[in-house]
Amino acid sequence: MKIGFGCDHAAVELKNELLSFLKEKGHECVDYGSYDPNAKDNYPEYGLKVAEAITSGAVEKGVLICGTGVGISLAANKVPGIRACVCSEPYTAKLTVEHNNANIIALGARVVGVELAKMIVDTFFSAQFQGGRHAERIQMITDIEKKYSK
């Protein structure tokens, strides 16, 4: 799978660890930044880059990381078709794919450690969307996006 990565300065180290981890598992990874933990930058820029990479087809799914995972996921979720979910444990990562067909997982570098983050992303990328009644709910979300898009 081709996976896009984005983070702010608070999460460069965790991003690099997860990039290596997923590459070792055979995934192709594209790094959209940030690259310097000392340069203060803005997480919405990286959330947008990864979200747009998914909607354009440049990558299939994404991993976003900021201090808590919340801000960067909020930015990504503004892009129609993106379903980004902050996960701090593997169970939510599994269900967000199975039930919500999430295409981005977001993590908090100040919330989870490296080993837990590896378990979370491994679970996320191993899960499969279940469809059925969940597909109807995804369509409802899509209809909301259309209602408020200009």
Side-chain angles (χ1 to χ4, degrees):
M1 179 180 301
K2 194 169 184 180
I3 303 167
F5 277 79
C7 72
D8 67 1
H9 59 277
V12 172
E13 185 177 318
L14 181 57
K15 179 198 66 175
N16 291 339
E17 290 278 347
L18 294 177
L19 265 164
S20 296
F21 175 71
L22 289 173
K23 282 181 182 179
E24 288 173 10
K25 292 190 157 284
H27 297 286
E28 182 180 349
C29 298
V30 180
D31 187 351
Y32 292 97
S34 178
Y35 310 104
D36 183 355
N38 298 311
K40 302 297 181 199
D41 48 29
N42 300 303
Y43 58 77
E45 296 174 33
Y46 303 102
L48 179 61
K49 285 181 184 184
V50 173
E52 288 181 336
I54 291 170
T55 60
S56 74
V59 298
E60 296 170 65
K61 289 193 176 188
V63 175
L64 295 176
I65 316 165
C66 65
T68 63
V70 174
I72 202 164
S73 68
L74 290 173
N77 277 321
K78 296 298 180 187
V79 176
I82 294 301
R83 290 172 304 282
C85 183
V86 181
C87 297
S88 299
E89 36 69 34
Y91 183 71
T92 303
K94 178 178 185 262
L95 289 185
T96 198
V97 174
E98 289 180 354
H99 294 192
N100 309 120
N101 200 17
N103 45 20
I104 293 178
I105 187 161
L107 303 163
R110 296 176 180 141
V111 178
V112 298
V114 173
E115 293 308 313
L116 179 55
K118 288 177 182 178
M119 289 189 292
I120 293 167
V121 298
D122 198 30
T123 301
F124 180 83
F125 290 111
S126 298
Q128 297 293 318
F129 180 53
Q130 292 180 345
R133 73 180 194 272
H134 305 296
E136 295 172 28
R137 294 169 183 161
I138 299 305
Q139 185 58 54
M140 292 171 77
I141 293 169
T142 300
D143 291 344
I144 294 168
E145 288 176 341
K146 287 179 185 175
K147 179 178 178 180
Y148 290 96
S149 294
K150 293 183 180 180

